[in-house]
Each structure stands twice: as structure tokens, then as C-alpha cells.
Amino acid sequence: MTNTTDSQSNNAAQAERLDSAMKGASALSSLARKVSFVTMACVAIGTTGCWGVGTNYNLGFLGFPIPVSPYYQHKAEEDFWKKERYDRVPILGPTTSGGAPVALDPPSDDEVMHALESARPVQGGIPLLYEKQRNDVRIIKEKIADYVDPPRFYPLIGPAQLHHAHYKCTIYFEEKTTIGYPVPHTLHDREAVEVVYIDHNHFHMVGDVEPYTTPAL
């Protein structure tokens, strides 16, 4: 009876030691996997140049890619387009003698549509939630003022005349608004009208103006 009890105790002790050994091996294996993962992550980050490990520049949180909507890229390009073509005041040559100066450059359809977009935007919606469309656009342009100021001296330009040309542009179009939340519905304005005013002011040089030369100091 005593031998049987001792044998059972030895078996239980051996099983407990074996279980402890297996748990220790599992813990070591898990620790090894974690160390390997951390090492590979550090190597990957250090070789990309985004985090600044080693000699690379440290960008901090800016080193991580941040998604940006294409709308903002298009808006920046559109602002540059308007500045390059429509926001600058041209300086032309002297007016021709013998007749009243008349402005011959009415606003283009592209300029009118940019002005309409600034006054009544349709861009920047959210698909399936809030969208606007503008269709069947018709533009009527009218010159409402055309006159030239007397000659005067303008800094950085010299003697010049300011030629004023004001246009009234009436735009007829269909505007369709699609709303998807919380109550899906569509608003269709078939007789939308918008009026924008565009100034095509420019300068005319006065007299025989010689090129500017830097004075001797």
C-alpha cells in the first residue's frame, strides 16, 4: 500500500515538473517572437527615412502618411490658375490717338464659371451623402461700363492711365442637389439664375516712357 502511494506521488511530481517545463518553454518562445518582431519593426522604420532613426531627419508624427482628399489638391491648383490668368492687372501700351479707347477683351466662359463657383459652389460634396451638379449652363455677357481715368503717376509703374471695363454676366443653369442622409431626397432647380460682375481693369502707359534704369548712387 505504501509503495503504491509513493509511486503515485512520484508520478504527480514528475507531471508537475513536466508541466512547469512546458510553460517555461512556451514563455521563452513567446518572448523570442516578441523580441524578433520588435527588432524587425525597428529595422523597417529605421530604413524608411520617415521616423528619423540613425542619421535621417526626424519628422515626428508627420512621418506617418495622412490621407488627404483630392478636393484640396484641385482647389490649390484652381487658385493658382485664377491668380495666373485673372487676378493680375496687365499694363498695355499707350492708347491710340484719334478715337475713344474701347475694351476688347470680354471675360471668357472659364472666368465666368470660376466667378460663379466662388459665389455659388458645387464642389466639395460628399458622395452618396451630399452632392451638387450644375447642368445646361447658358451665359449672357453685357458691358455696363467702359471709361479711362486721367493720366497720373502710379508707383512701380510710372505715368499711366487706368482703363475700367465692367461686365455683367448672367448665368442660367439647372442645379441638382442630392441628399442621402438622414432622409434621402433630390432637389432639382431647373430655372436657377445667378448674376456675377467681373472687372477687366488694366493700365495704359502714357507718352514715350523710356525703360527704367537704376540711378547711380
Side-chain angles (χ1 to χ4, degrees):
M1 185 70 179
T2 303
N3 294 334
T4 303
T5 304
D6 293 340
S7 177
Q8 293 177 352
S9 299
N10 292 334
N11 292 336
Q14 290 178 0
E16 185 176 353
R17 287 195 296 272
L18 181 60
D19 188 27
S20 299
M22 292 179 63
K23 289 182 179 179
S26 177
L28 289 175
S29 178
S30 177
L31 179 61
R33 287 196 300 269
K34 292 180 180 178
V35 171
S36 301
F37 176 76
V38 171
T39 303
M40 288 188 295
C42 291
V43 172
I45 294 175
T47 55
T48 56
C50 295
W51 183 254
V53 178
T55 59
N56 297 329
Y57 185 72
N58 190 354
L59 298 177
F61 72 95
L62 295 178
F64 296 95
I66 300 175
V68 180
S69 172
Y71 165 75
Y72 297 100
Q73 175 187 357
H74 173 72
K75 189 175 184 302
E77 294 174 350
E78 195 174 64
D79 292 341
F80 176 76
W81 176 278
K82 291 189 291 186
K83 179 180 178 181
E84 182 184 23
R85 287 165 174 78
Y86 308 128
D87 293 344
R88 297 176 178 175
V89 179
I91 304 175
L92 306 180
T95 58
T96 304
S97 61
V102 179
L104 302 177
D105 55 342
S108 62
D109 294 345
D110 179 72
E111 185 176 4
V112 174
M113 294 307 297
H114 278 297
L116 176 62
E117 179 65 24
S118 300
R120 191 168 179 168
V122 298
Q123 302 179 20
I126 303 175
L128 304 178
L129 293 180
Y130 184 83
E131 294 182 281
K132 275 190 176 184
Q133 297 179 358
R134 187 187 296 123
N135 304 311
D136 195 15
V137 179
R138 304 173 302 279
I139 303 174
I140 297 178
K141 306 168 188 176
E142 303 174 70
K143 184 190 294 185
I144 59 176
D146 189 357
Y147 59 95
V148 182
D149 289 344
R152 57 164 293 187
F153 181 84
Y154 292 91
L156 303 180
I157 297 179
Q161 291 178 285
L162 180 59
H163 191 163
H164 300 267
H166 307 303
Y167 293 87
K168 174 185 177 182
C169 303
T170 306
I171 306 103
Y172 301 90
F173 57 96
E174 295 182 6
E175 187 175 66
K176 184 177 181 181
T177 305
T178 304
I179 301 173
Y181 182 84
V183 180
H185 61 283
T186 301
L187 307 176
H188 197 176
D189 187 358
R190 292 179 173 82
E191 297 181 355
V193 182
E194 194 73 34
V195 177
V196 296
Y197 294 89
I198 297 178
D199 298 335
H200 269 201
N201 300 338
H202 52 275
F203 287 103
H204 290 286
M205 302 301 294
V206 175
D208 187 12
V209 181
E210 297 180 357
Y212 176 79
T213 56
T214 304
L217 300 179

